[in-house]
Each structure stands twice: as structure tokens, then as C-alpha cells.
Amino acid sequence: LSFRVGADAESEVILTEAEKGKRTENVDFMAKESPEYEGAFRFETACRRGHYLAFLPPCELRVVPLLNEELGRILDFMPLEFSASLKYKDLEEVLRPIAEPKRGTWMPLSALREAPEVANYFKKVMKQDTVWDAEDFAAYFEGHFVDWDYKATTAEVRLRPVEERLGQLLRSSRSTEDVALA
């Protein structure tokens, strides 16, 4: 992870290739115990005291000054055993990688239902011995219509192409603010 941070400024964090034998101050973090959560850590930059790695939901990682409070930012990170991460996954995170290579193309629902990753998710996370039936998946896809298209008559599903997804977002918008967020 590398960054460029100035005094009292934020910096985006990017993943860069480590150059063997070269040392740079813009990649070093010091792990410090969290003052708020037992077992958690904060990552302070080695080159600029008071600047920490922060997660800004839903998907942004930045280096921020500690004193610049921003609603929702997360400074404290809890290390977990990798195998425990599955229980924090959403079903979408399991289905999307299976359908993404065929985005826009109809595929049998059975291709999703019979995928080992899906069976594993249902067993370990949802604590169910069996994967949902077609009717349950139909309800799921109906609730996630912006991303998914489902044909009940043929039991086929597809991940909508990006352009079509945008069209769905725009059609379901109720205000100009919703359109701007699309």
C-alpha cells in the first residue's frame, strides 16, 4: 500500500508493486493498539505522525489526519483468521464472481445452485444443508432486479450488462437526487 500525504491532508491509498531493496517512506505503517477496541489496531503512517489508515464505507481506503473527524470513517481494524471471513460475506459476493464472466448472457439457474461456492455458503453461513430452491432464488433476484434478470419460465438468470443496469437505476429513480446517485 502506498500513499502521498501532506500536512493535515488526506491521501488515497493504492496497491503498488514492492521494489526489492528500495525503501520509501510512503509505504510504511506502524501498528498501534486501538484505544477504543480491545484486540484492534490502528495503522499510523511512519512518515507523518497523526495520520492513519482509514476505511470510508462503502469501499474507500485513505490515509487521514486523526483530528479530521468524518462521520462513518473506520480507523480501528480487527485481525481475523482468514477462514472466519466467509461469515461476513453477502450472498451477492458469492453469486457475482460465478456470473461475472458471462455478464449479459443467460445461464441456467442450476449453474449457480450447483456451484460448490454456493453450497459452501449455504452450509457454513446460512446454516442450511440445502441450497434454496428456484422459487427462493426467484424472490432474491426480484429483490435485486437492478443487477439480476431472471426468467422463471426457463429458470435462467443473467447478470445485467452495465448499460442495462444503469437503465434500471434510472427507471427506478424517484427524484433528481436519485438520478445523480445512479
Side-chain angles (χ1 to χ4, degrees):
L1 300 176
S2 68
F3 54 89
R4 292 201 190 285
V5 66
D8 297 323
E10 291 188 7
S11 169
E12 76 178 332
V13 176
I14 57 173
L15 189 59
T16 56
E17 184 178 345
E19 296 179 22
K20 191 173 183 173
K22 291 187 178 181
R23 186 166 178 214
T24 175
E25 62 184 21
N26 292 332
V27 297
D28 292 335
F29 290 95
M30 298 178 295
K32 295 185 169 190
E33 286 186 38
S34 166
E36 296 184 36
Y37 301 99
E38 185 178 335
F41 293 91
R42 288 185 177 179
F43 296 94
E44 184 177 26
T45 63
C47 66
R48 186 149 321 260
R49 293 195 56 153
H51 286 71
Y52 290 84
L53 186 65
F55 175 67
L56 301 160
C59 59
E60 194 172 351
L61 197 59
R62 298 189 70 73
V63 169
V64 299
L66 178 65
L67 299 177
N68 288 9
E69 288 291 330
E70 187 170 331
L71 189 63
R73 79 175 183 183
I74 297 167
L75 295 176
D76 300 302
F77 297 88
M78 181 74 71
L80 290 176
E81 182 181 333
F82 182 74
S83 63
S85 67
L86 180 63
K87 69 180 175 183
Y88 298 103
K89 269 191 173 182
D90 182 285
L91 181 57
E92 181 78 10
E93 293 175 280
V94 177
L95 298 177
R96 187 175 290 269
I98 299 167
E100 188 68 50
K102 299 173 183 169
R103 181 183 279 274
T105 305
W106 292 100
M107 61 190 288
L109 176 59
S110 60
L112 291 178
R113 292 187 70 233
E114 295 168 6
E117 309 93 296
V118 174
N120 189 36
Y121 180 82
F122 274 82
K123 186 173 189 156
K124 292 188 175 178
V125 177
M126 298 185 78
K127 307 291 186 210
Q128 296 180 8
D129 290 329
T130 58
V131 174
W132 286 342
D133 60 20
E135 197 173 289
D136 291 328
F137 270 106
Y140 175 84
F141 294 131
E142 182 71 27
H144 296 84
F145 69 93
V146 169
D147 293 310
W148 297 94
D149 195 5
Y150 181 69
K151 282 196 269 185
T153 54
T154 58
E156 291 180 301
V157 64
R158 70 186 179 117
L159 192 55
R160 292 187 190 277
V162 176
E163 308 80 26
E164 190 176 320
R165 182 184 185 282
L166 179 59
Q168 289 286 20
L169 282 169
L170 292 173
R171 275 191 289 287
S172 65
S173 298
R174 297 187 178 157
S175 68
T176 54
E177 188 175 292
D178 288 347
V179 170
L181 291 172

